[in-house]
Amino acid sequence: MVSAVRASIISRDENWLRLRWRIEGSGKLVVPPFAGRGRADELWRTTCFELFLKPDGGEAYSEFNLSPSERWAAYDFSSHRDGMENRPAPREPDCTMRQGSSFAIFDAAIPAAALPQSDCDAGLTCVLEEEGGIKSFWALCHPQDEPDFHDPACFTARLPARTTS
């Protein structure tokens, strides 16, 4: 049974934002089969990793869904769960999943050109499905009794705008 998840921003450069999730107790984790790169909706219905970015100065935010199947999605919202539109991405994210005997690591690289270009509050989340249809919802913060990754209170990390030299 999944016992812990650690999510982190590994690095950011002029080309990529690199993220990592480490899942402890992943022996019964359901990993979606390889499907090849491409956009897909409803990735959250099984194991899926997500990044939320809310630029300073407004209610609008972006959501990136990343699957071990290599499918992905990116959306823009005008406010909390409202005004959803596909977010353009000039390149596809790169995703890899590695499993050990008691842990798994999911790495993702999102193209820098797909990201907001200002300072952002960030939320790193994941939906994990285990054998038997057991799902757990992981976030840096769960401000409500029921998980809502779109709640701005979940965006507790900070992603500064990339600077050029």
Side-chain angles (χ1 to χ4, degrees):
M1 177 172 232
V2 173
S3 59
V5 175
R6 284 190 307 227
S8 56
I9 297 169
I10 301 295
S11 67
R12 183 178 191 177
D13 61 28
E14 65 275 0
N15 297 310
W16 300 99
L17 172 66
R18 289 179 175 76
L19 310 165
R20 173 171 287 165
W21 287 260
R22 181 182 170 105
I23 303 103
E24 301 293 338
S26 64
K28 294 187 178 192
L29 189 66
V30 173
V31 178
F34 175 78
R37 290 185 183 174
R39 280 188 183 252
D41 292 323
E42 299 189 350
L43 296 171
W44 54 268
R45 293 192 178 273
T46 186
T47 299
C48 177
F49 301 85
E50 301 178 347
L51 170 68
F52 291 84
L53 294 173
K54 183 182 168 298
D56 290 350
E59 294 182 32
Y61 64 96
S62 300
E63 174 185 3
F64 297 86
N65 296 179
L66 308 156
S67 172
S69 71
E70 291 195 11
R71 295 292 175 161
W72 61 279
Y75 307 104
D76 284 328
F77 292 85
S78 56
S79 62
H80 184 251
R81 292 188 180 273
D82 192 40
M84 183 176 92
E85 295 182 9
N86 279 332
R87 181 173 182 82
R91 293 175 69 179
E92 295 191 292
D94 184 30
C95 303
T96 59
M97 181 104 176
R98 298 183 309 276
Q99 286 191 273
S101 59
S102 64
F103 70 93
I105 294 176
F106 181 78
D107 286 322
I110 298 173
L115 303 170
Q117 299 303 306
S118 61
D119 292 350
C120 294
D121 292 332
L124 292 141
T125 68
C126 62
V127 175
L128 300 178
E129 182 178 0
E130 295 180 79
E131 293 172 8
I134 299 166
K135 289 185 185 171
S136 57
F137 302 86
W138 299 81
L140 299 175
C141 174
H142 283 295
Q144 309 291 327
D145 289 340
E146 293 294 317
D148 179 3
F149 296 158
H150 292 254
D151 186 327
C154 290
F155 307 167
T156 61
R158 190 76 176 148
L159 182 66
R162 188 180 64 80
T163 57
T164 57
S165 38

